[in-house]
Amino acid sequence: MKKYQHLINLIEKHDNFLLTAHVNPDGDSIGSLLGLQYLLEPYAQKIDILLADPVPQYLRFLNGANDIYLVNDLPDEIKAEDYDLYFILDCSALDRIGQVKDFFVPEVRKINIDHHSDNSNYGAYNYVDATVSATGELIYNLAVELGSNFQFDFGMAIATAIITDTGNFRYSNTSPETHRIIADMLELGVDTQEIIKNVYETESYSSMKLKGKVLTNLEVTANGQVAWTVVDEPMLAKLGAAWEDTEGLVNYPRSLKGVEVGVLFKGVEPEKTRVSLRSNNYFPVNEFAHQFGGGGHPRAAGCTIQAPLAEAKDTLLEKLQMKLKQIKDD
Amino acid sequence: MKKYQHLINLIEKHDNFLLTAHVNPDGDSIGSLLGLQYLLEPYAQKIDILLADPVPQYLRFLNGANDIYLVNDLPDEIKAEDYDLYFILDCSALDRIGQVKDFFVPEVRKINIDHHSDNSNYGAYNYVDATVSATGELIYNLAVELGSNFQFDFGMAIATAIITDTGNFRYSNTSPETHRIIADMLELGVDTQEIIKNVYETESYSSMKLKGKVLTNLEVTANGQVAWTVVDEPMLAKLGAAWEDTEGLVNYPRSLKGVEVGVLFKGVEPEKTRVSLRSNNYFPVNEFAHQFGGGGHPRAAGCTIQAPLAEAKDTLLEKLQMKLKQIKDD
């Protein structure tokens, strides 16, 4: 049987679909949502996308991105019970959909489509494959099994999902299949240059200044194995930058010569610090993040620490050094 | 007839090959040279690579990169007349091989393999195809026609050529075929992450700090159409950075939202300023650079001004504003 045969049966049996993805949506979640929406349109009477947080500016070039609903700003016609299937994309746990969870009614079944290895299979149906680079690859595979005619908008959405989640083919999740999907998309006329330009090369003055500041603040510890930098609300305010401008900054400490773990500390509130972790070769940042209640992938993970920036930083860096030493001793 | 059939006949008829490429070698030239060397080894009694300039540090991870000869540092066994075919790769004109040109003897025929559209067909045999992303793609195609068994080292060399000449798949020369070649290479075990890491992500602490400083100094003029930044000897000295760390920095001003022309001013000597120019959509930076005795491509050019940094900057930015206004008025 085909991998998605049962899902295809479900799609054919239902008419009203509500799609969602994780809080602080990124390129893979928005691209997958829009891709799935295009795919389901021929099968749907009613199809909508609903999120807890807004689509970031750098993804608004995608057709349909401005028609996504926000749970805190819902028009009257959106009622959770009017849908007969919920699709939850790119979420390892149900809590990751944020306030959309409270909006959902329990009677409607959830379809969980994701590529995170720590996915908790919270759906009534679970399509989880951690071998693919992006949830967008799973949506592409579903489209192939459905025999869909690929349209330009579908291709742009899926290519955006893949390009962003592989860091433009830089990360180790990039497979031969990843490149082959992009080759097919290019052949259909999808403009990967436009995607790359929107996602990576259209920076605001303030975000560029923020990058400068963050790089100037960069520090190295643990014999050069760990590099880290910080960003907080006063820094952003001073430069006129926003939290979304911090996206991707964690790759700078990671890309320093000899570094195994790169860390970005974000003082999001006086008593709350968000931490992004990246590793290069062997350090399992997701396992490490677990001890702070976080998670993610082996080479890209995150956590939130209920403490001021300086304190969170000292605690985490100390534990990180211990863990690195322990791995070395093993 | 196959595209390379005649070249394959030549390869089978000769035994001693000397390979070269352009001055200031880049990833495409080094990758193509090493790729062709691996390819020809089974057919060769003697095969060597000779260049006018050394292999840059960031490409020395490639196997064989350290065995390339320099024309100014030749061992006794390298005699131009001992070879019976010269391969010239990634060179639009014969002058681009620098001093290797003076070393060559006229009796030996030259095979010109290149992807530059302005190639002057200077070879006895010319294999020029401007539709491919990199000379490395042509070497790959030759390997396919030869029926070669791809080896890891060959794959690493070709993938390096393609990744560097497409800016990691960012530039518009990236085609479906480009991605398919990389997909095949990944399947063979080629580690594109290692390539990307060596080429783009192994920055020194000082070069990262320099990037931070240069971004902090970034300024915008001409109603946001021009962005520019500066770097000089004292800045480098203070951060322990070198001029080669300034490579690529001009892409930051260019990638600012709304900017048409990005400029990097380098105060290389007290009375000498080097200028790198990039444009996004329409401004012909090569034509503009002509008035300062410089040149290049329409979207990437440069010039040298015999004046201190501050003076060169004022002069050039003023002329740039005039030219932008003139284009707008036309």
Side-chain angles (χ1 to χ4, degrees), chain A residues 57 166-177 179-180 182-184 186-187 192-193 196-197 200-206 208-209 211-213 215-220 251-259 280-281, chain B residues 57 166-180 182-184 186-187 192-193 196-197 200-206 208-209 211-213 215-220 251-258 280-281:
Chain A
Q57 199 55 45
T166 60
N168 197 38
F169 315 105
R170 285 179 181 231
Y171 306 152
S172 57
N173 58 352
T174 307
S175 74
E177 184 60 11
H179 279 283
R180 289 209 177 96
I182 296 294
D184 289 350
L186 281 169
E187 225 139 57
T192 52
Q193 264 60 54
I196 290 166
K197 193 160 177 124
Y200 295 109
E201 297 181 354
T202 315
E203 283 204 75
S204 68
Y205 187 69
S206 49
M208 197 75 97
K209 289 280 175 182
K211 191 177 279 176
K213 182 73 183 157
L215 290 178
T216 305
N217 287 344
L218 192 75
E219 295 197 44
V220 169
N251 286 313
Y252 287 97
R254 186 185 65 83
S255 65
L256 210 57
K257 197 181 241 165
V259 160
N280 276 319
N281 297 309
Chain B
Q57 199 54 47
T166 60
N168 196 39
F169 315 104
R170 285 181 182 230
Y171 306 153
S172 56
N173 59 352
T174 307
S175 73
E177 184 60 13
T178 312
H179 279 284
R180 290 210 176 95
I182 296 293
D184 289 349
L186 281 169
E187 226 139 56
T192 52
Q193 264 60 53
I196 291 166
K197 198 167 171 126
Y200 295 108
E201 298 181 353
T202 315
E203 282 203 75
S204 67
Y205 188 69
S206 50
M208 197 75 95
K209 289 279 174 182
K211 191 177 278 178
K213 182 73 184 156
L215 290 177
T216 305
N217 288 345
L218 192 75
E219 294 197 44
V220 169
N251 286 312
Y252 287 97
R254 186 188 63 83
S255 65
L256 210 56
K257 196 182 241 165
N280 276 318
N281 297 309

Side-chain angles (χ1 to χ4, degrees), chain A residues 71-86:
Chain A
V71 73
N72 281 331
D73 185 22
L74 270 182
D76 292 341
E77 71 264 28
I78 305 293
K79 291 187 184 67
E81 56 274 23
D82 285 353
Y83 301 90
D84 45 28
L85 268 186
Y86 297 151

Side-chain angles (χ1 to χ4, degrees), chain B residues 306-317:
Chain B
Q306 297 295 336
L309 184 81
E311 192 187 317
K313 201 185 68 185
D314 290 347
T315 308
L316 187 131
L317 288 178

Side-chain angles (χ1 to χ4, degrees), chain B residues 20-36 51 55-56 58-59 62 68 88-91 96 113-116 129 132-140 156-167 173 195 199-200:
Chain B
T20 193
H22 60 75
V23 291
N24 300 318
D26 59 4
D28 190 19
S29 48
I30 298 299
S32 297
L33 285 168
L34 293 174
L36 183 59
L51 287 174
V55 178
Y58 71 94
L59 294 168
L62 287 169
I68 291 177
I88 302 176
L89 306 186
D90 204 34
C91 282
R96 295 269 297 141
I113 307 181
D114 185 34
H115 74 125
H116 291 91
D129 183 350
V132 298
S133 68
T135 299
E137 273 198 36
L138 301 176
I139 304 299
Y140 173 90
M156 288 291 282
I158 297 302
T160 299
I162 291 175
I163 286 170
T164 53
D165 248 29
T166 60
N173 59 352
I195 295 168
V199 171
Y200 295 108

Side-chain angles (χ1 to χ4, degrees), chain A residues 56-196:
Chain A
Q57 199 55 45
Y58 71 94
L59 294 168
R60 293 195 172 258
F61 73 100
L62 287 170
N63 269 335
N66 294 315
D67 302 325
I68 291 177
Y69 293 114
L70 282 182
V71 73
N72 281 331
D73 185 22
L74 270 182
D76 292 341
E77 71 264 28
I78 305 293
K79 291 187 184 67
E81 56 274 23
D82 285 353
Y83 301 90
D84 45 28
L85 268 186
Y86 297 151
F87 285 85
I88 302 176
L89 306 186
D90 205 32
C91 282
S92 55
L94 192 55
D95 281 339
R96 296 268 297 142
I97 65 175
Q99 287 175 276
V100 175
K101 194 182 161 193
D102 306 324
F103 171 81
F104 277 174
V105 293
E107 298 76 41
V108 178
R109 281 175 302 178
K110 297 176 188 76
I111 294 173
N112 163 16
I113 306 180
D114 185 35
H115 74 125
H116 291 89
S117 59
D118 58 350
N119 188 292
S120 61
N121 290 315
Y122 52 81
Y125 310 99
N126 301 287
Y127 297 88
V128 178
D129 182 350
T131 68
V132 298
S133 69
T135 299
E137 273 198 36
L138 301 177
I139 304 300
Y140 174 90
N141 293 337
L142 172 63
V144 171
E145 279 199 22
L146 269 170
S148 305
N149 272 328
F150 297 131
Q151 305 289 327
F152 177 80
D153 283 338
F154 172 81
M156 287 291 281
I158 298 301
T160 300
I162 290 175
I163 286 170
T164 53
D165 247 31
T166 60
N168 197 38
F169 315 105
R170 285 179 181 231
Y171 306 152
S172 57
N173 58 352
T174 307
S175 74
E177 184 60 11
T178 312
H179 279 283
R180 289 209 177 96
I181 293 173
I182 296 294
D184 289 350
M185 299 291 172
L186 281 169
E187 225 139 57
L188 284 167
V190 163
D191 187 346
T192 52
Q193 264 60 54
E194 198 201 327
I195 295 169
I196 290 166

